[in-house]
Amino acid sequence: MIKKYWMNKLKYFGLFILIWTIYWFPDVIFAYPEIFFKSLIGYERQLASTWLLFANLLISIGLGIFLGVKFGYFKNTLSMFKIKNLLIILMTFFFASILYFVTLTYYSSHFPLAGIAQTQMEYSNQIVFPWINAISFGISSPLFEEMAFRGTIYRFFKNDKLAFILASITFAWIHTGFSPVLLVYLPMSVILTTIYHRRKVLSESILLHILFNTFLPIMFSFLQFLTGIYYL
């Protein structure tokens, strides 16, 4: 019994590492184009590395979906499309948008641009085609991050309260480290974990995460325009 318990722990720890490795593989390849395209320089290298990123994204997303199906991460996905559940996700997104607006406005008013934000901007600027960027941030990131930080952590820790706390903190920390920008990421992480915690349907937190990555910057600009608030 004890052996089975620890083997189960080892399985989900290994699965977490595997998911994270597959997730980061396209980015690591993309980060060092000079290794793969020694004969190319400037825009030609950037273009070639963008297409390489796209190919690797498709492979990694395919592997991620395969793992998710094999290990039951997408159970009860169809129940997500019930009106009640979709409304909860949508209402949560609008609430999160307001919270994001408040926390990010406060953060940007009192702290310099975080390293993570600069890194993301530099990463995005290297990608020639915006739609590939959309696949990376709008599909790949939500899929793998939810599988790792919600799906796997909840399976590793049978205590749901402990899993909730650790999933929320580790997800935020992996994006920010020990930085004041944690003020912005932690509330978003708690919201994502809450959506998963409610019914243990990973597809719901993935969908909300997709909405976050795709529309939160737009909502932030819209709320700035609507309220005229640029400083807190």
Side-chain angles (χ1 to χ4, degrees):
M1 191 70 179
I2 295 176
K3 182 180 179 181
K4 183 179 179 181
Y5 172 83
W6 285 109
M7 287 299 293
N8 197 50
K9 295 286 187 186
L10 184 62
K11 179 179 79 171
Y12 286 114
F13 177 77
L15 192 56
F16 181 93
I17 299 299
L18 179 60
I19 290 169
W20 204 243
T21 301
I22 295 172
Y23 172 41
W24 275 105
F25 176 75
D27 293 337
V28 171
I29 297 297
F30 182 68
Y32 301 100
E34 64 276 5
I35 297 175
F36 306 96
F37 304 109
K38 294 180 180 179
S39 62
L40 301 179
I41 59 173
Y43 179 77
E44 288 183 342
R45 178 185 288 178
Q46 187 179 2
L47 182 62
S49 60
T50 297
W51 281 116
L52 179 63
L53 172 67
F54 175 61
N56 286 326
L57 275 174
L58 293 183
I59 294 170
S60 67
I61 290 171
L63 288 173
I65 293 173
F66 171 77
L67 285 176
V69 172
K70 181 175 177 60
F71 289 96
Y73 281 81
F74 304 135
K75 286 182 179 179
N76 300 319
T77 291
L78 291 179
S79 67
M80 175 182 70
F81 295 101
K82 292 181 179 179
I83 298 298
K84 175 186 175 182
N85 296 325
L86 287 175
L87 282 175
I88 289 174
I89 293 171
L90 193 59
M91 290 170 62
T92 303
F93 170 71
F94 284 116
F95 168 76
S97 298
I98 296 171
L99 184 60
Y100 178 79
F101 171 70
V102 172
T103 55
L104 185 57
T105 301
Y106 178 84
Y107 172 82
S108 58
S109 300
H110 297 275
F111 301 98
L113 185 65
I116 181 68
Q118 292 176 334
T119 302
Q120 287 179 344
M121 287 173 61
E122 292 170 1
Y123 175 88
S124 299
N125 290 336
Q126 292 181 65
I127 300 174
V128 175
F129 305 113
W131 55 271
I132 294 180
N133 208 4
I135 292 173
S136 178
F137 286 105
I139 298 176
S140 179
S141 294
L143 173 67
F144 285 102
E145 290 177 2
E146 292 307 310
M147 285 177 63
F149 289 100
R150 251 63 68 173
T152 306
I153 286 180
Y154 264 80
R155 290 166 181 237
F156 187 88
F157 297 99
K158 296 302 182 182
N159 185 319
D160 280 359
K161 292 181 180 178
L162 178 61
F164 182 96
I165 294 170
L166 289 176
S168 299
I169 293 175
T170 54
F171 174 82
W173 180 84
I174 205 74
H175 285 83
T176 67
F178 298 104
S179 164
V181 77
L182 188 67
L183 174 73
V184 179
Y185 276 84
L186 186 57
M188 298 298 104
S189 181
V190 170
I191 289 171
L192 285 168
T193 308
T194 300
I195 284 293
Y196 175 74
H197 187 87
R198 186 177 75 94
R199 296 200 314 126
K200 306 296 190 302
V201 177
L202 190 66
S203 300
E204 293 186 351
S205 62
I206 291 175
L207 176 59
L208 183 60
H209 199 149
I210 289 172
L211 292 174
F212 279 4
N213 284 13
T214 306
F215 296 109
L216 272 185
I218 298 172
M219 290 296 292
F220 180 79
S221 299
F222 173 73
L223 288 171
Q224 276 188 327
F225 171 78
L226 191 67
T227 63
I229 297 175
Y230 295 85
Y231 182 88
L232 282 176

